[in-house]
Coordinates of all heavy atoms in Angstrom, one line a residue:
V1 N 10.1 -5.7 69.9 CA 10.6 -4.3 70.2 C 10.9 -3.7 68.9 O 11.7 -4.2 68.0 CB 11.8 -4.4 71.1 CG1 12.4 -3.0 71.3 CG2 11.5 -5.0 72.4
K2 N 10.4 -2.5 68.7 CA 10.7 -1.7 67.5 C 12.1 -1.1 67.6 O 12.6 -0.8 68.6 CB 9.6 -0.6 67.3 CG 8.3 -1.0 67.1 CD 7.3 0.1 66.9 CE 5.9 -0.3 66.6 NZ 5.0 0.8 66.5
S3 N 12.6 -0.9 66.4 CA 14.0 -0.3 66.4 C 14.0 1.1 67.0 O 13.2 2.0 66.6 CB 14.4 -0.2 64.9 OG 15.7 0.4 64.9
G4 N 14.9 1.3 68.0 CA 15.0 2.6 68.6 C 14.1 2.9 69.7 O 14.2 3.9 70.4
V5 N 13.2 2.0 70.0 CA 12.2 2.1 71.1 C 12.5 1.1 72.1 O 12.3 -0.1 71.9 CB 10.8 2.0 70.6 CG1 9.8 2.2 71.7 CG2 10.5 3.1 69.5
A6 N 13.1 1.5 73.3 CA 13.4 0.6 74.3 C 12.2 0.4 75.3 O 11.8 -0.7 75.6 CB 14.6 1.1 75.1
T7 N 11.7 1.5 75.8 CA 10.6 1.5 76.7 C 9.6 2.6 76.3 O 9.9 3.6 75.7 CB 11.1 1.7 78.2 OG1 11.6 3.0 78.2 CG2 12.1 0.7 78.6
Y8 N 8.4 2.4 76.8 CA 7.3 3.4 76.6 C 7.1 4.1 77.9 O 7.0 3.5 79.0 CB 6.0 2.7 76.2 CG 6.1 2.1 74.8 CD1 6.3 0.7 74.6 CD2 5.9 2.9 73.7 CE1 6.4 0.2 73.4 CE2 6.0 2.3 72.4 CZ 6.2 1.0 72.3 OH 6.2 0.4 71.0
N9 N 7.1 5.4 77.8 CA 6.9 6.3 79.0 C 5.4 6.6 79.0 O 4.9 7.5 78.3 CB 7.7 7.5 78.9 CG 7.8 8.3 80.2 OD1 7.2 7.8 81.2 ND2 8.5 9.3 80.2
V10 N 4.7 5.9 79.9 CA 3.2 6.0 79.9 C 2.8 7.0 81.0 O 3.4 7.0 82.1 CB 2.6 4.7 80.3 CG1 1.0 4.8 80.3 CG2 3.0 3.6 79.2
A11 N 1.9 7.9 80.7 CA 1.5 9.0 81.6 C 0.3 8.5 82.4 O -0.5 7.8 81.8 CB 1.2 10.2 80.8
S12 N 0.2 9.0 83.6 CA -1.0 8.7 84.4 C -2.1 9.5 83.9 O -2.0 10.5 83.1 CB -0.6 9.0 85.9 OG -0.4 10.3 86.1
D13 N -3.3 9.3 84.4 CA -4.5 10.0 84.0 C -4.4 11.5 84.3 O -4.7 12.3 83.4 CB -5.7 9.5 84.6 CG -6.1 8.1 84.0 OD1 -5.7 7.8 82.9 OD2 -6.8 7.3 84.7
P14 N -4.0 11.9 85.5 CA -3.8 13.4 85.7 C -2.7 14.0 84.8 O -2.9 15.1 84.3 CB -3.4 13.5 87.2 CG -3.8 12.2 87.8 CD -3.7 11.2 86.7
Q15 N -1.7 13.3 84.5 CA -0.6 13.8 83.6 C -1.2 13.9 82.2 O -0.9 14.9 81.5 CB 0.6 12.9 83.6 CG 1.5 13.1 84.8 CD 2.7 12.2 84.8 OE1 2.7 11.2 84.1 NE2 3.7 12.6 85.5
R16 N -1.9 12.9 81.8 CA -2.5 12.9 80.4 C -3.5 14.1 80.3 O -3.5 14.8 79.2 CB -3.2 11.6 80.2 CG -3.6 11.3 78.7 CD -4.1 9.9 78.5 NE -3.1 8.9 78.9 CZ -3.4 8.0 79.8 NH1 -4.6 7.9 80.4 NH2 -2.5 7.1 80.1
A17 N -4.3 14.4 81.3 CA -5.2 15.5 81.2 C -4.4 16.8 81.2 O -4.8 17.7 80.4 CB -6.1 15.5 82.5
A18 N -3.3 16.9 81.9 CA -2.5 18.1 81.9 C -1.9 18.3 80.5 O -1.7 19.4 80.0 CB -1.4 18.1 83.0
I19 N -1.4 17.2 79.9 CA -0.8 17.3 78.6 C -1.8 17.8 77.6 O -1.5 18.6 76.7 CB -0.2 16.0 78.2 CG1 1.1 15.7 79.1 CG2 0.2 15.9 76.7 CD1 1.7 14.3 79.0
H20 N -3.0 17.2 77.6 CA -4.1 17.7 76.7 C -4.4 19.2 76.9 O -4.6 19.9 75.9 CB -5.3 16.9 76.8 CG -5.2 15.5 76.3 ND1 -5.0 15.3 74.9 CD2 -5.3 14.3 76.8 CE1 -4.9 14.0 74.7 NE2 -5.1 13.3 75.9
R21 N -4.4 19.6 78.2 CA -4.7 21.0 78.5 C -3.5 21.9 77.9 O -3.8 23.0 77.3 CB -4.8 21.2 80.0 CG -5.1 22.6 80.4 CD -5.2 22.7 81.9 NE -4.2 22.1 82.7 CZ -3.0 22.7 82.8 NH1 -2.7 23.8 82.3 NH2 -2.0 22.0 83.5
L22 N -2.3 21.4 78.0 CA -1.2 22.2 77.5 C -1.2 22.2 76.0 O -0.8 23.2 75.4 CB 0.2 21.6 78.0 CG 0.6 21.9 79.4 CD1 1.7 21.0 79.9 CD2 0.9 23.4 79.5
E23 N -1.6 21.1 75.3 CA -1.7 21.1 73.9 C -2.7 22.2 73.4 O -2.4 22.8 72.4 CB -2.2 19.7 73.4 CG -1.1 18.6 73.5 CD -1.6 17.3 73.1 OE1 -2.8 17.1 72.8 OE2 -0.8 16.3 73.2
D24 N -3.8 22.3 74.1 CA -4.8 23.3 73.8 C -4.2 24.7 74.0 O -4.4 25.6 73.1 CB -6.0 23.2 74.6 CG -6.9 22.0 74.2 OD1 -6.7 21.5 73.1 OD2 -7.7 21.5 75.1
K25 N -3.4 24.9 75.0 CA -2.8 26.2 75.3 C -1.8 26.6 74.1 O -1.7 27.7 73.6 CB -2.0 26.2 76.6 CG -2.8 26.5 77.8 CD -1.9 26.6 79.0 CE -2.6 26.9 80.2 NZ -1.7 27.0 81.4
I26 N -1.0 25.5 73.7 CA -0.1 25.7 72.6 C -0.8 26.1 71.3 O -0.3 26.9 70.6 CB 0.9 24.5 72.5 CG1 1.7 24.4 73.8 CG2 1.7 24.6 71.3 CD1 2.5 23.1 73.9
R27 N -1.9 25.4 71.0 CA -2.7 25.6 69.8 C -3.2 27.1 69.8 O -3.2 27.7 68.8 CB -3.8 24.7 69.7 CG -3.4 23.3 69.2 CD -4.7 22.4 69.0 NE -4.3 21.1 68.8 CZ -4.3 20.1 69.8 NH1 -4.8 20.4 71.0 NH2 -4.0 18.9 69.6
R28 N -3.6 27.6 71.0 CA -4.1 28.9 71.1 C -3.0 29.9 70.9 O -3.2 31.0 70.4 CB -4.9 29.1 72.4 CG -6.2 28.5 72.4 CD -7.1 29.1 73.6 NE -6.4 28.9 74.9 CZ -6.6 27.9 75.7 NH1 -7.4 26.9 75.3 NH2 -6.0 27.8 76.8
R29 N -1.8 29.6 71.4 CA -0.6 30.5 71.4 C 0.0 30.7 70.0 O 0.4 31.7 69.7 CB 0.4 30.0 72.4 CG 1.7 30.8 72.5 CD 1.4 32.3 72.9 NE 2.6 33.1 72.9 CZ 3.0 33.7 71.8 NH1 2.4 33.6 70.7 NH2 4.1 34.4 71.9
V30 N 0.0 29.6 69.2 CA 0.7 29.6 67.9 C -0.4 29.6 66.8 O -1.1 28.6 66.7 CB 1.7 28.4 67.8 CG1 2.4 28.5 66.5 CG2 2.6 28.4 69.0
H31 N -0.4 30.6 66.0 CA -1.4 30.7 65.0 C -1.0 29.7 63.8 O 0.2 29.3 63.7 CB -1.6 32.1 64.4 CG -0.4 32.7 63.8 ND1 0.6 33.3 64.5 CD2 -0.1 32.8 62.5 CE1 1.5 33.7 63.7 NE2 1.1 33.4 62.4
I32 N -1.9 29.4 62.9 CA -1.7 28.5 61.8 C -0.7 29.1 60.9 O -0.8 30.3 60.5 CB -3.0 28.1 61.1 CG1 -3.9 27.4 62.0 CG2 -2.7 27.3 59.8 CD1 -5.3 27.1 61.4
G33 N 0.4 28.4 60.6 CA 1.5 28.9 59.7 C 2.5 29.7 60.5 O 3.5 30.2 59.9
G34 N 2.3 29.8 61.9 CA 3.2 30.6 62.7 C 4.4 29.8 63.2 O 4.4 28.6 63.3
Y35 N 5.4 30.6 63.6 CA 6.6 30.1 64.3 C 6.8 30.7 65.6 O 6.4 31.8 65.8 CB 7.8 30.4 63.5 CG 8.0 29.8 62.1 CD1 7.4 30.4 61.0 CD2 8.6 28.6 61.9 CE1 7.5 29.8 59.7 CE2 8.8 28.0 60.7 CZ 8.2 28.7 59.6 OH 8.3 28.1 58.4
I36 N 7.4 30.0 66.6 CA 7.8 30.5 67.8 C 9.0 29.7 68.3 O 9.0 28.5 68.0 CB 6.6 30.5 68.9 CG1 7.1 31.2 70.1 CG2 6.2 29.1 69.2 CD1 5.9 31.5 71.1
T37 N 9.9 30.3 69.0 CA 11.0 29.5 69.5 C 10.6 28.6 70.6 O 9.7 29.0 71.4 CB 12.2 30.4 69.9 OG1 11.8 31.2 71.0 CG2 12.7 31.3 68.8
T38 N 11.2 27.5 70.7 CA 10.8 26.5 71.8 C 11.1 27.2 73.1 O 10.3 27.0 74.1 CB 11.6 25.2 71.6 OG1 11.3 24.7 70.3 CG2 11.2 24.2 72.6
R39 N 12.2 27.9 73.2 CA 12.6 28.5 74.5 C 11.5 29.5 75.0 O 11.2 29.6 76.1 CB 14.0 29.2 74.4 CG 14.4 29.8 75.6 CD 15.1 28.8 76.6 NE 14.2 28.4 77.6 CZ 14.3 27.3 78.3 NH1 15.1 26.4 78.0 NH2 13.4 27.1 79.3
R40 N 11.1 30.4 74.0 CA 10.1 31.4 74.4 C 8.8 30.8 74.8 O 8.2 31.2 75.8 CB 9.9 32.3 73.2 CG 8.9 33.4 73.5 CD 8.9 34.4 72.4 NE 7.9 35.5 72.6 CZ 7.7 36.5 71.8 NH1 8.3 36.6 70.7 NH2 6.7 37.4 72.2
L41 N 8.3 29.8 74.1 CA 7.1 29.1 74.4 C 7.2 28.4 75.7 O 6.3 28.5 76.6 CB 6.7 28.1 73.3 CG 5.4 27.3 73.5 CD1 4.2 28.3 73.5 CD2 5.3 26.3 72.4
L42 N 8.3 27.8 76.0 CA 8.6 27.1 77.3 C 8.6 28.1 78.4 O 7.9 27.9 79.4 CB 9.9 26.3 77.2 CG 10.2 25.3 78.3 CD1 9.2 24.2 78.3 CD2 11.6 24.8 78.0
D43 N 9.3 29.2 78.2 CA 9.3 30.2 79.3 C 7.9 30.8 79.6 O 7.6 31.0 80.8 CB 10.3 31.4 78.9 CG 11.7 31.0 78.9 OD1 12.1 29.9 79.5 OD2 12.5 31.7 78.3
E44 N 7.1 31.1 78.5 CA 5.8 31.6 78.8 C 4.9 30.6 79.5 O 4.2 31.0 80.4 CB 5.2 32.0 77.4 CG 5.8 33.2 76.8 CD 5.2 33.5 75.4 OE1 4.2 32.8 75.0 OE2 5.6 34.4 74.7
L45 N 4.9 29.3 79.2 CA 4.1 28.4 79.8 C 4.6 28.1 81.2 O 3.8 27.9 82.1 CB 4.0 27.1 79.0 CG 3.3 27.3 77.6 CD1 3.3 26.0 76.8 CD2 1.8 27.7 77.9
V46 N 5.9 28.1 81.4 CA 6.4 27.8 82.8 C 6.1 29.0 83.7 O 5.8 28.9 84.9 CB 7.9 27.5 82.7 CG1 8.5 27.6 84.1 CG2 8.2 26.2 82.1
A47 N 6.1 30.2 83.1 CA 5.7 31.4 83.9 C 4.3 31.4 84.3 O 3.9 31.9 85.4 CB 6.0 32.7 83.1
L48 N 3.4 30.7 83.6 CA 2.0 30.5 84.0 C 1.8 29.4 85.0 O 0.7 29.1 85.3 CB 1.2 30.3 82.7 CG 1.1 31.4 81.7 CD1 0.4 31.0 80.4 CD2 0.4 32.6 82.3
G49 N 2.9 28.7 85.3 CA 2.8 27.6 86.3 C 2.8 26.2 85.8 O 2.5 25.3 86.6
D50 N 3.0 26.0 84.6 CA 3.0 24.6 84.0 C 4.4 24.1 84.2 O 5.4 24.7 83.9 CB 2.6 24.6 82.6 CG 1.2 25.1 82.4 OD1 0.3 24.6 83.1 OD2 1.0 26.0 81.6
P51 N 4.6 22.8 84.6 CA 5.9 22.2 84.7 C 6.6 22.0 83.4 O 5.9 21.6 82.4 CB 5.6 20.8 85.4 CG 4.1 20.7 85.5 CD 3.5 21.9 85.0
E52 N 7.9 22.3 83.3 CA 8.6 22.2 82.1 C 8.6 20.8 81.5 O 8.4 20.7 80.2 CB 10.1 22.6 82.4 CG 10.9 22.7 81.1 CD 12.3 23.3 81.4 OE1 12.4 24.0 82.4 OE2 13.1 23.1 80.5
P53 N 8.8 19.7 82.2 CA 8.7 18.4 81.6 C 7.4 18.1 80.9 O 7.4 17.5 79.8 CB 9.0 17.4 82.7 CG 9.6 18.2 83.8 CD 9.1 19.6 83.7
L54 N 6.3 18.6 81.5 CA 5.0 18.3 80.8 C 4.8 19.1 79.6 O 4.2 18.7 78.6 CB 3.9 18.6 81.8 CG 3.6 17.6 82.9 CD1 2.4 17.9 83.7 CD2 3.3 16.2 82.2
V55 N 5.4 20.3 79.6 CA 5.4 21.2 78.3 C 6.2 20.5 77.2 O 5.7 20.4 76.1 CB 5.9 22.6 78.6 CG1 6.0 23.4 77.4 CG2 5.1 23.3 79.7
M56 N 7.3 20.0 77.6 CA 8.1 19.3 76.6 C 7.4 18.0 76.0 O 7.4 17.7 74.8 CB 9.5 18.9 77.1 CG 10.3 20.1 77.4 SD 10.5 21.2 76.0 CE 11.5 20.2 74.9
R57 N 6.7 17.3 76.9 CA 5.9 16.1 76.5 C 4.8 16.5 75.6 O 4.4 15.8 74.6 CB 5.4 15.3 77.7 CG 6.5 14.6 78.4 CD 6.0 13.8 79.5 NE 5.3 12.6 79.0 CZ 4.9 11.6 79.8 NH1 5.1 11.7 81.1 NH2 4.3 10.6 79.3
A58 N 4.1 17.6 75.9 CA 3.0 18.1 75.0 C 3.6 18.5 73.7 O 2.9 18.2 72.6 CB 2.3 19.3 75.7
L59 N 4.7 19.2 73.7 CA 5.3 19.5 72.3 C 5.7 18.3 71.6 O 5.5 18.2 70.3 CB 6.6 20.4 72.6 CG 6.3 21.8 72.9 CD1 7.7 22.5 73.2 CD2 5.7 22.5 71.7
A60 N 6.2 17.3 72.2 CA 6.5 16.0 71.6 C 5.3 15.3 71.0 O 5.3 14.8 69.9 CB 7.3 15.1 72.5
A61 N 4.2 15.4 71.8 CA 2.9 14.8 71.3 C 2.4 15.5 70.1 O 1.9 14.9 69.1 CB 1.9 14.8 72.4
L62 N 2.5 16.9 70.1 CA 2.0 17.7 69.0 C 2.9 17.4 67.8 O 2.4 17.5 66.6 CB 2.0 19.1 69.3 CG 0.9 19.6 70.3 CD1 1.1 21.0 70.8 CD2 -0.5 19.4 69.6
D63 N 4.2 17.2 68.0 CA 5.1 17.0 66.9 C 4.8 15.6 66.2 O 5.1 15.5 65.0 CB 6.6 17.0 67.4 CG 7.6 16.8 66.3 OD1 7.4 17.4 65.2 OD2 8.6 16.2 66.5
S64 N 4.3 14.7 67.0 CA 4.0 13.4 66.4 C 2.8 13.4 65.5 O 2.6 12.5 64.7 CB 3.8 12.4 67.5 OG 2.6 12.6 68.3
T65 N 2.0 14.5 65.7 CA 0.8 14.7 64.7 C 1.3 15.5 63.5 O 2.4 16.0 63.5 CB -0.3 15.4 65.4 OG1 0.1 16.7 65.7 CG2 -0.8 14.7 66.7
A66 N 0.5 15.7 62.6 CA 0.8 16.5 61.4 C 0.5 17.9 61.6 O 0.6 18.7 60.7 CB 0.1 15.9 60.2
E67 N 0.1 18.3 62.8 CA -0.3 19.7 63.1 C 0.9 20.6 63.4 O 0.8 21.8 63.0 CB -1.3 19.7 64.3 CG -2.0 21.0 64.5 CD -3.0 20.9 65.6 OE1 -3.3 19.7 66.1 OE2 -3.6 21.9 65.9
F68 N 1.9 20.1 64.1 CA 3.1 20.9 64.4 C 4.3 20.2 64.0 O 4.3 19.0 63.8 CB 3.1 21.1 66.0 CG 2.2 22.1 66.5 CD1 0.9 21.8 66.8 CD2 2.7 23.4 66.8 CE1 0.0 22.8 67.3 CE2 1.9 24.3 67.3 CZ 0.5 24.0 67.6
Q69 N 5.4 21.0 63.8 CA 6.7 20.5 63.5 C 7.7 21.2 64.4 O 7.6 22.4 64.6 CB 7.1 20.7 62.1 CG 6.6 19.7 61.0 CD 7.2 20.0 59.7 OE1 7.7 21.1 59.4 NE2 7.0 19.0 58.8
L70 N 8.6 20.4 64.9 CA 9.8 21.0 65.6 C 10.9 21.1 64.6 O 11.4 20.0 64.1 CB 10.2 20.1 66.9 CG 9.1 20.1 68.0 CD1 9.5 19.1 69.1 CD2 8.9 21.4 68.6
R71 N 11.4 22.2 64.4 CA 12.4 22.5 63.3 C 13.7 23.0 64.0 O 13.7 23.4 65.1 CB 11.9 23.4 62.3 CG 10.7 22.9 61.5 CD 10.4 23.9 60.4 NE 9.4 23.3 59.6 CZ 8.8 24.0 58.6 NH1 9.2 25.2 58.3 NH2 7.9 23.4 57.8
R72 N 14.8 23.0 63.2 CA 16.1 23.5 63.5 C 16.5 22.9 64.9 O 16.7 23.6 65.9 CB 16.0 25.0 63.6 CG 15.8 25.7 62.3 CD 15.9 27.2 62.4 NE 15.3 27.8 61.3 CZ 14.8 29.0 61.3 NH1 14.9 29.8 62.4 NH2 14.3 29.6 60.2
E73 N 16.7 21.6 64.9 CA 17.1 20.9 66.1 C 16.2 21.2 67.3 O 16.7 21.4 68.4 CB 18.6 21.2 66.4 CG 19.5 20.8 65.3 CD 21.0 21.2 65.5 OE1 21.2 21.9 66.6 OE2 21.8 20.8 64.7
R74 N 14.9 21.2 67.1 CA 13.9 21.4 68.1 C 14.0 22.8 68.7 O 13.5 23.0 69.8 CB 14.0 20.3 69.1 CG 13.6 19.0 68.6 CD 13.5 18.0 69.8 NE 13.1 16.7 69.2 CZ 12.7 15.7 70.0 NH1 12.6 15.8 71.3 NH2 12.3 14.5 69.5
S75 N 14.6 23.7 68.1 CA 14.6 25.1 68.7 C 13.5 26.0 68.2 O 13.3 27.0 68.8 CB 16.0 25.7 68.3 OG 16.1 26.0 66.9
V76 N 12.8 25.5 67.2 CA 11.6 26.3 66.6 C 10.4 25.4 66.5 O 10.5 24.3 66.0 CB 12.0 26.9 65.2 CG1 10.8 27.7 64.6 CG2 13.2 27.9 65.4
V77 N 9.3 25.9 66.9 CA 8.0 25.2 66.8 C 7.2 25.9 65.6 O 7.1 27.1 65.6 CB 7.1 25.3 68.1 CG1 5.8 24.6 67.9 CG2 7.9 24.7 69.2
H78 N 6.8 25.1 64.7 CA 6.0 25.6 63.5 C 4.7 24.9 63.5 O 4.6 23.7 63.5 CB 6.8 25.3 62.2 CG 6.1 25.7 61.0 ND1 6.2 25.0 59.8 CD2 5.3 26.8 60.7 CE1 5.5 25.6 58.9 NE2 4.9 26.7 59.4
R79 N 3.6 25.7 63.4 CA 2.3 25.1 63.3 C 1.9 25.0 61.9 O 1.9 26.1 61.1 CB 1.3 25.9 64.1 CG -0.1 25.3 64.0 CD -1.1 25.9 65.0 NE -2.3 25.2 64.9 CZ -3.4 25.6 65.5 NH1 -3.4 26.7 66.3 NH2 -4.6 24.9 65.4
L80 N 1.6 23.9 61.4 CA 1.3 23.6 60.0 C -0.2 23.9 59.7 O -0.6 24.4 58.7 CB 1.6 22.2 59.6 CG 3.2 21.9 59.7 CD1 3.4 20.4 59.5 CD2 4.0 22.7 58.8
R81 N -1.1 23.3 60.6 CA -2.5 23.5 60.3 C -3.2 23.5 61.7 O -2.8 23.2 62.7 CB -3.1 22.4 59.5 CG -2.9 21.0 60.0 CD -3.4 20.0 59.0 NE -3.0 18.7 59.4 CZ -3.8 17.8 59.9 NH1 -5.1 18.0 59.9 NH2 -3.4 16.6 60.2

């Protein structure tokens, strides 16, 4: 067991597909070098009918890559490339 990792939260195939779709929506919404508050992005995607937990998982997945960063205690999303 790695330090700090107790369990892995594995997504089902439909959830994984929804997360990839949300990642693409977020990439289209935030331009390269741009910032947006997490709350505003979350509100916009939830208004379009996406579930809030899946949006947060998509943001976490994008944060784990070098493409996005969650800054200021996860209150701001910054797209690096």
Side-chain angles (χ1 to χ4, degrees):
V1 176
K2 292 182 180 179
S3 177
V5 178
T7 61
Y8 292 98
N9 194 358
V10 180
S12 64
D13 287 337
Q15 284 180 336
R16 195 173 301 122
I19 290 171
H20 286 301
R21 184 178 48 78
L22 281 168
E23 289 175 1
D24 290 338
K25 277 186 179 181
I26 293 168
R27 283 188 192 98
R28 284 194 305 268
R29 177 62 183 87
V30 183
H31 64 277
I32 295 174
Y35 293 89
I36 188 170
T37 63
T38 304
R39 181 83 258 156
R40 181 173 178 179
L41 181 62
L42 192 63
D43 288 344
E44 289 177 5
L45 293 175
V46 169
L48 292 174
D50 296 310
E52 186 173 340
L54 284 182
V55 174
M56 292 306 294
R57 287 183 73 173
L59 282 174
L62 288 170
D63 184 39
S64 67
T65 66
E67 190 172 357
F68 281 82
Q69 279 185 345
L70 293 174
R71 295 185 173 177
R72 297 186 195 155
E73 298 177 355
R74 295 187 177 195
S75 65
V76 175
V77 178
H78 177 217
R79 183 169 183 187
L80 300 173
R81 58 183 170 110

